[in-house]
Amino acid sequence: MLRIINISRLGNTLHFSRAVTQWQLPPAFQREFHVSAASLKRRKTAEEKKSPRIIEYSPKKLQTAAGGASNIWKHMTVAQLAKELERPLDDVQEAMLYVKGADNIEPAFKLADLKIIQEIAKKLGAKTRVVATPEESNTDEQKERDVAPRPPAAPELLQPRPPVVTVMGHVDHGKTTLLDSLRGADVAAGEAGGITQHIGAFTVTLENGERVTFLDTPGHAAFSAMRARGAVATDIIVLVVAAEDGVMAQTREVIQLAKEAQVPIIVALNKIDKPEANIEKSKRELAQMGLALEERGGDVQVIPISALKGTNLQLLAEAVSTQATLMGLKADPTGLVEGIVVESKTDPRRGKLSTAIVSRGTLRKGSVLLSGLAHAKVRGLFDHNGQPLSEAPPGTPVEILGWRELPLAGDLILEVETEKKAHAVLKYREHESQQEKIESSSDEIRKKDEEHQAKYRAEREARRLAGRFRVRGGQRVKQVDENEGKPRVSVIIKGDVHGSVEAILDVLETYNSNESCRLDIVHYGVGNVTEGDLELAKAFDAIIYAFAVETPQLKAAKEVNIRSYNIIYRLIDDLKEQLSSKLPPVEIEEVLGEANVLQNFLINEGRKEVPVAGCRCTKGVLKKAQKFRLLRDGEVVYDGPLDSMRHLKNEVDTIKKDVECGLRFRDTKVLPQAGDILQCYTTKMEAQQTDWDPGF
């Protein structure tokens, strides 16, 4: 039996001595043990035992939580390190002076080496813990705001600018010829097929010394998107109407665009020198379209002209000048540049170019521009004649050289201060564009996911009902494509300018006969045909349509079907032929002749009675070798060949019109009756034509 005989206290430690009372042990078996306050465990009360929510921490854990380590990560800045260490920035910078490799103490400098960061923290007496880079540091650049047009300028900064006049109208009504006469150049003769196929922008100095910026838009039905851009970018619309044709389809479209954009219209009634011109009829049709003509109390001027002979062109110029004066067109020539892309293209020697109209500010070399997801540092400015410009004030059409990516026609151009700002805005716009694509496609993704889940559940249920091991063996079923076996035409579109490619794609979107023959657009772009296009065409067995661009003279180009065109409707006609050639031929029936059954005879042939139809040919020719159809009250009684054709007891091969004959069918069960109609016909295989109607 043991008994405690001595208790002493030293500081926070209690000393217990024990000894044996009934028997004596050697000194080696006598010992002392020490118990500190930290080792004493308090027993839980009855309430604490009942409550599972009470959590007790050991003193070690409490100490760690109170004095925890600071988070550090790779590529953190000096300012971020000071924030994490909870020390003033000056203290961190002073500590960096004593750390080898920490030479740059700027607050925004990024520390790439973790050892250097740990050494700085060690100098400051702090513990560190390496963590992953926070998401905020990765998305800082995406938080850069987008750029937008500036607020309206103060009235004292505004200065007069040249008006932007768009010449619009129906195809072949004389728009380009009118502009040729105004600027003394012959452009229409150089247009493919005599029609304009992209927007041309240039400046014309009138006889009164005023400068006017003209836009020439195409009138073909395929270029409606270009006309819409021209209506938005313009101050005044000159609507060219041929006096011989009057109001046509594209004329109505232009009037509607002008009303939507609230742009004033001046009507140029062209071709008045032609004998079939009817001026009054054209004016009535314009009034019926809702135009308030000046001679009828409205504000729309109608100027009868002849663009070819130069008749009344001075009156038209004065009307444009008067309308511009009434509008009081002014712009701010200072500050950051704003403008609009009229057209864009890729030049094989100069690179990516765009034709633009400056609407605010003065454009100079070295300016950093943004347009959609494209940016440029301007390396050169040129006028419509290709002459270099030192600057482009508001209202000036200018060709810009220096785009990194090709801007889209119709997009807004904005100038930014630096290329760094441009890259930040581009990254933000790309991020926003991706988010829009995700949101727009979320419904479709959800629908496909539901279909996949339904199919999966059905297959799983089928496996469960069939048993676990019954469906494991056997041959796998081949996945069958719904479009497999259908004829297909694959195309690659390359055009000279963005507007031309856009117009071709708009026409191809009207194709609605994919059930009979699929039309696949493998690739499209602006610029000449490249080796990459050739490789793509080989891989997809595609036809390359080169619209007003050069094709490579390479050996590989001979192995690819390349078709060059410079008129859009000829390109579409060729594509229709390619689609038609892929369609299988159909059986066409051709009626050779007809006959009326006059009487039915029964003749003896051996022991059998065979019916014979006595007929008279009433139309065309009856041929024994062809098929015959017997009609009774509009219903087909017999359709098949003949066994015999006789005329006056003689076997013949043909019966002409108004000649009587006897016809015996191969099926002897068919009994002709008087009044029946007999048709002789033949069938042949004929190539199909696609039913695609592009609208022109």
Side-chain angles (χ1 to χ4, degrees):
M1 185 175 94
L2 297 176
R3 184 176 59 177
I4 299 174
I5 59 174
N6 186 23
I7 301 177
S8 63
R9 180 184 184 93
L10 293 174
N12 291 330
T13 304
L14 298 177
H15 296 268
F16 299 89
S17 300
R18 57 183 178 175
V20 179
T21 57
Q22 293 182 356
W23 60 86
Q24 186 69 30
L25 293 176
F29 289 93
Q30 297 183 14
R31 63 187 179 89
E32 293 184 355
F33 62 93
H34 306 277
V35 181
S36 63
S39 301
L40 293 177
K41 183 177 180 181
R42 182 178 61 84
R43 291 187 178 183
K44 293 183 179 180
T45 63
E47 293 181 358
E48 291 175 343
K49 289 180 179 179
K50 291 180 182 179
S51 176
R53 297 183 180 180
I54 298 177
I55 301 174
E56 291 188 356
Y57 296 95
S58 63
K60 185 176 180 181
K61 291 185 178 180
L62 290 171
Q63 184 180 359
T64 306
S70 301
N71 294 335
I72 62 170
W73 58 88
K74 201 172 182 180
H75 297 294
M76 69 186 308
T77 63
V78 176
Q80 289 173 336
L81 179 59
K83 182 179 179 182
E84 290 296 327
L85 297 178
E86 298 181 356
R87 298 291 295 269
L89 181 62
D90 295 341
D91 291 355
V92 176
Q93 290 175 332
E94 186 177 356
M96 291 176 66
L97 299 176
Y98 300 97
V99 176
K100 186 178 180 181
D103 301 327
N104 195 332
I105 62 173
E106 292 295 326
F109 179 71
K110 293 184 177 181
L111 302 168
D113 195 343
L114 280 174
K115 292 183 178 179
I116 294 178
I117 299 174
Q118 291 171 339
E119 188 66 25
I120 297 171
K122 187 177 180 181
K123 293 287 185 185
L124 295 170
K127 296 180 180 180
T128 58
R129 178 175 55 248
V130 179
V131 297
T133 305
E135 294 183 359
E136 290 77 15
S137 61
N138 289 333
T139 56
D140 281 343
E141 294 181 353
Q142 291 182 354
K143 292 182 179 179
E144 291 287 339
R145 293 297 178 184
D146 200 357
V147 291
R150 292 178 289 156
E156 59 270 12
L157 297 177
L158 300 178
Q159 296 182 10
R161 65 167 176 84
V164 179
V165 180
T166 303
V167 180
M168 308 178 79
H170 194 73
V171 61
D172 199 29
H173 274 201
K175 300 180 294 297
T176 307
T177 306
L178 170 61
L179 292 171
D180 293 344
S181 301
L182 288 173
R183 64 176 176 173
D186 186 13
V187 175
E191 295 284 1
I195 62 173
T196 301
Q197 302 189 96
H198 55 268
I199 295 179
F202 49 86
T203 302
V204 173
T205 303
L206 303 178
E207 293 184 4
N208 57 6
E210 295 185 3
R211 295 171 65 250
V212 178
T213 297
F214 279 102
L215 300 181
D216 180 18
T217 61
H220 197 276
F223 297 95
S224 58
M226 288 192 188
R227 286 191 293 275
R229 287 197 296 271
V232 172
T234 190
D235 300 316
I236 303 170
I237 292 178
V238 173
L239 177 58
V240 179
V241 180
E244 56 182 356
D245 294 335
V247 175
M248 302 294 284
Q250 274 70 58
T251 312
R252 299 187 187 94
E253 180 187 335
V254 171
I255 294 174
Q256 185 63 30
L257 287 173
K259 289 181 179 179
E260 292 175 358
Q262 297 182 351
V263 179
I265 294 178
I266 297 175
V267 179
L269 207 55
N270 196 19
K271 301 184 181 181
I272 61 173
D273 54 321
K274 287 197 171 184
E276 58 269 24
N278 192 335
I279 298 177
E280 294 303 321
K281 174 177 173 293
S282 300
K283 289 183 178 180
R284 285 196 303 271
E285 292 178 352
L286 289 169
Q288 291 172 0
M289 289 299 301
L291 292 183
L293 305 184
E294 198 174 43
E295 58 190 41
R296 301 189 181 186
D299 54 357
V300 177
Q301 302 179 66
V302 180
I303 313 296
I305 64 168
S306 173
L308 191 62
K309 296 185 177 180
T311 307
N312 292 337
L313 292 186
Q314 183 62 29
L315 291 177
L316 180 62
E318 291 176 0
V320 171
S321 179
T322 302
Q323 182 67 44
T325 303
L326 292 174
M327 296 175 69
L329 300 173
K330 293 183 178 181
D332 177 17
T334 62
L336 298 176
V337 172
E338 297 175 14
I340 188 169
V341 179
V342 175
E343 195 55 272
S344 58
K345 64 179 181 180
T346 300
D347 190 279
R349 289 169 291 276
R350 296 189 294 168
K352 297 177 176 63
L353 301 171
S354 71
T355 301
I357 294 180
V358 180
S359 58
R360 187 174 183 181
T362 302
L363 183 60
R364 297 180 177 87
K365 285 185 181 180
S367 300
V368 180
L369 305 179
L370 281 172
S371 178
L373 297 178
H375 80 290
K377 185 172 183 180
V378 180
R379 292 191 286 117
L381 302 173
F382 305 92
D383 62 8
H384 62 278
N385 292 321
Q387 300 299 319
L389 296 174
S390 58
E391 60 182 26
T396 304
V398 60
E399 195 173 51
I400 302 173
L401 173 64
W403 291 98
R404 306 294 196 275
E405 301 84 18
L406 200 63
L408 301 181
D411 282 357
L412 188 67
I413 294 178
L414 296 173
E415 183 184 3
V416 293
E417 295 84 355
T418 61
E419 285 194 88
K420 183 178 179 181
K421 174 71 173 176
H423 288 300
V425 174
L426 282 177
K427 186 167 289 189
Y428 174 81
R429 289 183 176 182
E430 289 172 358
H431 175 72
E432 292 296 312
S433 177
Q434 291 175 358
Q435 292 299 320
E436 290 178 4
K437 287 181 180 178
I438 293 172
E439 292 175 3
S440 62
S441 59
S442 59
D443 294 338
E444 186 177 352
I445 294 172
R446 192 181 303 110
K447 183 179 178 182
K448 288 191 175 184
D449 183 61
E450 291 175 357
E451 293 176 357
H452 173 75
Q453 292 295 336
K455 183 179 178 181
Y456 168 73
R457 284 192 291 268
E459 292 176 353
R460 185 181 62 182
E461 185 67 17
R463 287 197 301 269
R464 188 185 67 80
L465 295 175
R468 182 177 180 184
F469 299 103
R470 291 183 186 176
V471 296
R472 296 189 67 175
Q475 188 176 2
R476 293 184 63 183
V477 180
K478 180 183 177 183
Q479 296 290 335
V480 180
D481 187 4
E482 296 179 357
N483 299 316
E484 189 175 358
K486 288 184 180 179
R488 181 190 305 263
V489 174
S490 301
V491 297
I492 296 174
I493 306 296
K494 295 302 291 284
D496 57 341
V497 296
H498 173 259
S500 299
V501 177
E502 181 185 41
I504 296 172
L505 294 178
D506 287 344
V507 175
L508 297 187
E509 282 185 2
T510 63
Y511 183 74
N512 54 2
S513 302
N514 280 315
E515 293 300 322
S516 55
C517 181
R518 287 189 59 82
L519 175 61
D520 291 339
I521 303 173
V522 177
H523 173 65
Y524 62 88
V526 179
N528 295 335
V529 178
T530 63
E531 293 185 21
D533 298 328
L534 299 178
E535 295 297 328
L536 204 59
K538 287 181 185 178
F540 287 90
D541 191 22
I543 303 171
I544 298 178
Y545 282 101
F547 186 79
V549 296
E550 297 178 2
T551 57
Q553 302 298 325
L554 301 173
K555 183 180 180 180
K558 298 178 182 179
E559 303 173 5
V560 178
N561 191 355
I562 303 177
R563 298 176 177 270
S564 299
Y565 291 95
N566 52 12
I567 300 176
I568 189 170
Y569 57 79
R570 291 181 182 171
L571 184 150
I572 300 301
D573 289 343
D574 182 89
L575 181 56
K576 289 173 68 176
E577 292 179 5
Q578 296 296 323
L579 292 168
S580 299
S581 66
K582 295 289 184 177
L583 299 176
V586 292
E587 190 177 42
I588 302 297
E589 182 180 295
E590 182 182 0
V591 177
L592 302 177
E594 288 186 1
N596 289 335
V597 179
L598 303 178
Q599 190 177 354
N600 181 31
F601 299 94
L602 293 175
I603 62 173
N604 294 324
E605 200 174 74
R607 295 181 181 182
K608 294 182 180 180
E609 288 186 343
V610 179
V612 175
C615 307
R616 177 184 288 116
C617 182
T618 58
K619 185 187 296 182
V621 179
L622 303 181
K623 294 184 178 182
K624 179 183 176 182
Q626 303 302 329
K627 295 181 180 180
F628 284 80
R629 183 184 295 120
L630 184 64
L631 301 174
R632 183 178 299 159
D633 297 329
E635 295 183 0
V636 178
V637 179
Y638 174 75
D639 192 346
L642 294 180
D643 258 359
S644 176
M645 175 185 285
R646 293 190 178 187
H647 174 63
L648 299 177
K649 298 185 179 181
N650 297 322
E651 191 73 22
V652 293
D653 293 330
T654 60
I655 296 293
K656 295 182 180 179
K657 185 180 179 183
D658 297 330
V659 177
E660 294 183 355
C661 62
L663 303 178
R664 189 179 71 187
F665 303 128
R666 183 165 295 178
D667 187 356
T668 57
K669 296 179 181 179
V670 178
L671 299 176
Q673 297 179 6
D676 290 350
I677 297 175
L678 196 64
Q679 289 182 345
C680 175
Y681 69 95
T682 183
T683 58
K684 60 180 180 179
M685 302 303 291
E686 190 173 291
Q688 286 193 69
Q689 297 294 325
T690 179
D691 58 353
W692 176 32
D693 182 15
F696 54 86

